[in-house]
Amino acid sequence: MNNPETSVIIRKQIAIRNYLCSTEQEEVSEIIDGLTAQQKYIPSKFFYDEYGSNLFEAITCLPEYYPTRTEKALLKEIAPQISKTLGNIDIVELGSGDCSKISILLDAIPVENMATVRYIPVDVSHAAISNSARILVERFPDITVHGLLADFLKHLSVIPKETKRLFCFFGSTLGNLTRKQSVQFLLDLKAVMKPGDQLLIGLDMVKNIRVLEKAYNDDQGVTAAFNKNILSSVNQYVKTAFNPDWFEHVAFYNQSKNRIEMHLRALKNIELSCMYLPDNIRIKKGETIHTENSHKYTHWHILDFASITGLKINAVYTDNNQWFSLVHLIA
Ligand code: AVJ
């Protein structure tokens, strides 16, 4: 079915709005702040340039990286239950990426309800949103897609409010935030939710440390490549000349903070200039740049999030190993 009429209809079903600011000043100062801090860091969102997004997709297929596989299987299991309530609804996916997870949920919605479902992907990647939109309208001809090119940490207020909503926040993306940031984010999210709005959030659970560390130290070195690739985003934004070969990939479980930490450790003394800084950037051999936190959760954290935000837990779904949870909350 590729006649012009169809494509007109398809385009009518898709709208994408851009809320990102076009100047890159904010990004530049976020990176500069990190490179001049005592413990140097680079915010994790800079992993996801086009190549980085592809590397992440490759990670999700690795035998060692259990989260994506586990979450998708769980989602498939619970989709019939969750989707019973899904008609006349906006399904908002925060950090939507490729549309593989939402497709599992949409698959379980009765076809006759689809015309009353609007999918609202929120992502900083235009490619991710437009590709998803194209794929979804083809697969679900009656759905409407209203994409928001936006940073969900900053732009929750631009999400349409007229209809009741199901917010989806998959992939344990919450885990990239510190404890304090994650509580603040959930409070912000609760503040835009209306009574009856739902939240389905995927959380990676605390588990055997060997399983955790292996997931971030895969045998093929894809995670190492992903980690080092963040430097190409940095080079682009702040016009530096970091060479990824000057660093080694380090990922370990920080038991006291319940999180995997990823760092880039300098293999030699490094000194390089940056047009945004009066002095050269100096990194000593052995010093690290912290690139990611990936927090892991317990049932206690889930109860705590609910009590702090006042969201009601409708159900906590988990796999047999209790490696990953999908928490269904209601405002
Ligand atoms: C997409 C943030 C959930 O923390 O596991 C995968 C990113 N980093 N391997 C995670 C990631 C290294 C992932 N999240």
Side-chain angles (χ1 to χ4, degrees):
M1 284 272 278
N2 212 354
N3 60 62
E5 234 179 85
T6 316
S7 48
V8 170
I9 295 167
I10 284 173
R11 268 192 235 118
K12 264 194 189 163
Q13 282 171 261
I14 301 176
I16 299 177
R17 299 222 174 110
N18 182 7
Y19 294 94
L20 296 175
C21 71
S22 50
T23 70
E24 287 167 354
Q25 283 169 7
E26 266 177 60
E27 283 79 6
V28 167
S29 56
E30 282 170 327
I31 292 172
I32 292 297
D33 285 352
L35 291 178
T36 54
Q38 177 69 262
Q39 164 67 66
K40 293 183 172 59
Y41 67 88
I42 301 165
S44 308
K45 68 171 177 188
F46 293 106
F47 279 127
Y48 302 95
D49 63 358
E50 200 180 338
Y51 187 56
S53 301
N54 290 337
L55 284 172
F56 177 66
E57 268 184 52
I59 287 174
T60 65
C61 302
L62 292 169
E64 297 94 338
Y65 195 77
Y66 61 85
T68 311
R69 201 174 305 118
T70 312
E71 184 179 34
K72 282 186 182 173
L74 197 54
L75 192 55
K76 194 163 181 181
E77 232 179 88
I78 68 163
Q81 235 158 310
I82 303 267
S83 59
K84 265 190 281 183
T85 62
L86 303 183
N88 296 308
I89 196 160
D90 280 345
I91 301 178
V92 182
E93 186 177 9
L94 306 173
S96 50
D98 74 17
C99 50
S100 60
K101 287 175 190 165
I102 211 67
S103 302
I104 298 172
L105 197 60
L106 295 175
D107 259 334
I109 298 178
V111 189
E112 61 271 23
N113 286 1
M114 263 341 229
T116 69
V117 172
R118 183 164 66 160
Y119 174 53
I120 305 187
V122 183
D123 205 286
V124 290
S125 160
H126 186 273
I129 292 180
S130 59
N131 290 337
S132 306
R134 234 181 327 101
I135 293 168
L136 290 174
V137 295
E138 195 155 307
R139 185 149 163 200
F140 306 99
D142 293 327
I143 201 171
T144 304
V145 179
H146 180 141
L148 304 178
L149 189 56
D151 180 343
F152 59 75
L153 290 179
K154 299 178 188 161
H155 303 126
L156 286 178
S157 63
V158 306
I159 297 167
K161 307 172 181 55
E162 318 85 77
T163 315
K164 72 172 172 181
R165 294 164 301 176
L166 166 65
F167 290 89
C168 295
F169 194 28
F170 295 129
S172 206
T173 306
L174 186 76
N176 272 176
L177 306 181
T178 64
R179 173 88 195 141
K180 224 173 124 185
Q181 289 170 326
S182 59
V183 166
Q184 188 54 56
F185 174 70
L186 291 174
L187 286 170
D188 292 347
L189 185 57
K190 167 71 203 295
V192 301
M193 291 172 82
K194 286 174 298 178
D197 281 352
Q198 309 169 61
L199 169 62
L200 186 60
I201 183 166
L203 298 174
D204 195 14
M205 305 302 276
V206 169
K207 62 183 64 61
N208 186 304
I209 185 164
R210 282 185 304 273
V211 175
L212 284 169
E213 291 191 336
K214 203 71 197 143
Y216 295 82
N217 290 283
D218 63 279
D219 289 340
Q220 292 171 64
V222 184
T223 309
F226 174 75
N227 195 8
K228 291 179 190 184
N229 179 64
I230 201 169
L231 293 172
S232 65
S233 286
V234 169
N235 286 339
Q236 239 197 334
Y237 280 105
V238 302
K239 322 260 187 294
T240 43
F242 280 105
N243 181 340
D245 297 338
W246 298 339
F247 296 88
E248 64 178 336
H249 164 72
V250 179
F252 60 89
Y253 189 60
N254 180 334
Q255 204 126 26
S256 68
K257 296 191 166 161
N258 291 320
R259 69 191 190 197
I260 290 282
E261 291 187 15
M262 290 212 308
H263 294 253
L264 290 166
R265 185 192 286 142
L267 293 165
K268 56 167 197 161
N269 289 326
I270 293 165
E271 176 162 358
L272 76 177
S273 65
C274 172
M275 61 181 278
Y276 295 101
L277 285 169
D279 300 319
N280 283 350
I281 299 168
R282 285 193 186 79
I283 305 172
K284 289 205 191 79
K285 180 177 177 179
E287 191 182 338
T288 72
I289 305 177
H290 189 177
T291 51
E292 186 177 52
N293 289 318
S294 188
H295 287 82
K296 307 304 167 191
Y297 300 94
T298 62
H299 199 71
W300 180 87
H301 290 107
I302 294 172
L303 298 178
D304 198 45
F305 284 143
S307 77
I308 288 172
T309 57
L311 290 163
K312 294 179 284 289
I313 298 179
N314 184 55
V316 181
Y317 303 99
T318 183
D319 57 295
N320 287 334
N321 295 321
Q322 306 200 328
W323 278 5
F324 203 94
S325 295
L326 277 165
V327 186
H328 187 204
L329 298 142
I330 300 180

